[in-house]
Amino acid sequence: MRDKTREQGYLTFAQGEQYLQCAYLLALSVKTYCKVNDFAVVVDTATTVPKHMHSVFDEVITIDTMAPFANECLAWELTPFKETFKVESDMLVTSNIDHWWAGARLKNVCFTTQVRNYRGEVVEDNHHRKMWKENNLCNAYNGFMYFRHCTETKQFFDTCKQVLSNFDLYKTSVLSNCRHDAADTDVFMSIAATELGSENFYVPTLDYPTFTHMKQHINKFGTDDWRDACSWALTDDMIFCVNGYAQTRPFHYFHKDFCTTELIARYEQRIF
């Protein structure tokens, strides 16, 4: 287990060049808006981190290449932080969310359990999350989550490993109408949280952590790519807008090619 030498910070996983570019953009956005902005990225041995990125990443942690999603089970072991916001790499932070630390730490592990559309409205995802309703699973989104370094968090991530390694049993004998041949991070973390008590993994009186999710069915778009359904802009004073709506929550852009060199350069200009 890695020593927890830092107090608070962000952690993301980036396996491959495309995810690394997304992680770099995410780190730039965190440092643009937040005062609590230490940032660690976990890469595999096949992913080379360019020199210029090291000036933005506070820590680069290298592990062996693993099966998709399995590396996320190691988040508790790998993070250098005593308190961690784990964020998916294809996300942008769009405002100062430093106050989220105070609320999220009411739980040892705190998930996003409600996502929003680009208008800021809470959306019930009836398209992608039918299995969650049918099995009364914790509605956990790992896209933006919090955890602290403690025994209870270790127990959670150990349970995640068990669920992932035994998912064939879960999908055939435990879950009703399982639609997943393999467990992604949201699936195995939701199952683990349910087994340990869903009420222990979110704060029902808080409207965070959360994020804006740009998948088609959440926003009722007629096309898979949200960029074909709406316009977006980043103003000179770094306000990120979609169809005229200023985005103040973490923004899950989903399509990795949204992370362009031109967009990265806009954020680099604010940092360097």
Side-chain angles (χ1 to χ4, degrees):
M1 182 181 68
R2 192 178 185 87
D3 289 340
K4 311 308 172 192
T5 57
R6 299 173 182 264
E7 291 297 322
Q8 298 167 307
Y10 292 75
L11 178 76
T12 197
F13 288 81
Q15 193 164 295
E17 182 179 352
Q18 187 176 49
Y19 283 92
L20 180 63
Q21 290 292 329
C22 293
Y24 180 58
L25 177 60
L26 170 60
L28 287 168
S29 71
V30 168
K31 292 179 182 293
T32 295
Y33 301 105
C34 301
K35 293 183 179 179
V36 180
N37 60 28
D38 279 4
F39 197 99
V41 62
V42 180
V43 300
D44 64 350
T45 52
T47 303
T48 301
V49 181
K51 183 178 180 180
H52 72 277
M53 291 187 182
H54 281 272
S55 62
V56 174
F57 296 140
D58 297 285
E59 295 210 25
V60 175
I61 302 156
T62 303
I63 62 174
D64 291 336
T65 303
M66 302 179 69
F69 311 118
N71 52 3
E72 307 250 357
C73 291
L74 302 177
W76 179 84
E77 300 171 43
L78 295 173
T79 182
F81 307 114
K82 296 174 184 177
E83 293 182 282
T84 300
F85 279 156
K86 190 186 80 66
V87 188
E88 288 189 344
S89 60
D90 53 345
M91 194 91 75
L92 273 178
V93 169
T94 60
S95 68
N96 188 321
I97 54 173
D98 289 345
H99 64 285
W100 284 18
W101 292 100
R105 67 166 61 100
L106 294 172
K107 300 291 184 179
N108 297 314
V109 179
C110 189
F111 279 105
T112 292
T113 56
Q114 291 183 322
V115 294
R116 296 173 183 261
N117 61 25
Y118 74 90
R119 295 183 179 89
E121 301 163 335
V122 173
V123 176
E124 193 169 351
D125 187 359
N126 295 316
H127 180 81
H128 300 100
R129 296 236 159 187
K130 292 178 181 178
M131 187 185 76
W132 275 254
K133 284 186 172 295
E134 293 166 354
N135 292 274
N136 197 29
L137 294 177
C138 178
N139 195 39
Y141 290 86
N142 91 102
F144 197 109
M145 64 177 291
Y146 163 91
F147 61 87
R148 67 157 55 90
H149 183 66
C150 63
T151 302
E152 290 80 6
T153 301
K154 179 182 185 300
Q155 181 186 21
F156 169 74
F157 279 100
D158 285 346
T159 305
C160 288
K161 293 177 185 178
Q162 293 170 9
V163 173
L164 186 59
S165 62
N166 293 286
F167 188 67
D168 284 344
L169 176 63
Y170 277 90
K171 71 181 181 183
T172 57
S173 303
V174 178
L175 296 172
S176 174
N177 296 322
C178 180
R179 297 162 176 82
H180 297 261
D181 291 330
D184 63 22
T185 317
D186 281 346
V187 170
F188 68 71
M189 287 191 174
S190 293
I191 294 171
T194 303
E195 291 188 349
L196 295 171
S198 297
E199 68 280 0
N200 297 315
F201 293 91
Y202 71 103
V203 183
T205 55
L206 294 180
D207 63 358
Y208 61 85
T210 186
F211 58 89
T212 299
H213 207 322
M214 292 305 290
K215 280 189 176 180
Q216 175 183 358
H217 295 282
I218 290 175
N219 292 275
K220 297 182 179 178
F221 294 145
T223 178
D224 174 66
D225 193 330
W226 61 271
R227 292 166 295 180
D228 296 329
C230 22
S231 60
W232 68 273
L234 181 64
T235 67
D236 290 342
D237 50 357
M238 305 304 285
I239 299 173
F240 184 75
C241 299
V242 175
N243 265 9
Y245 288 84
Q247 303 298 306
T248 59
R249 301 172 183 87
F251 185 83
H252 188 20
Y253 52 84
F254 182 59
H255 293 280
K256 311 299 182 289
D257 60 354
F258 177 75
C259 175
T260 62
T261 54
E262 292 79 11
L263 185 58
I264 287 173
R266 290 289 307 278
Y267 284 92
E268 286 178 328
Q269 290 169 7
R270 302 291 292 197
I271 301 300
F272 302 124

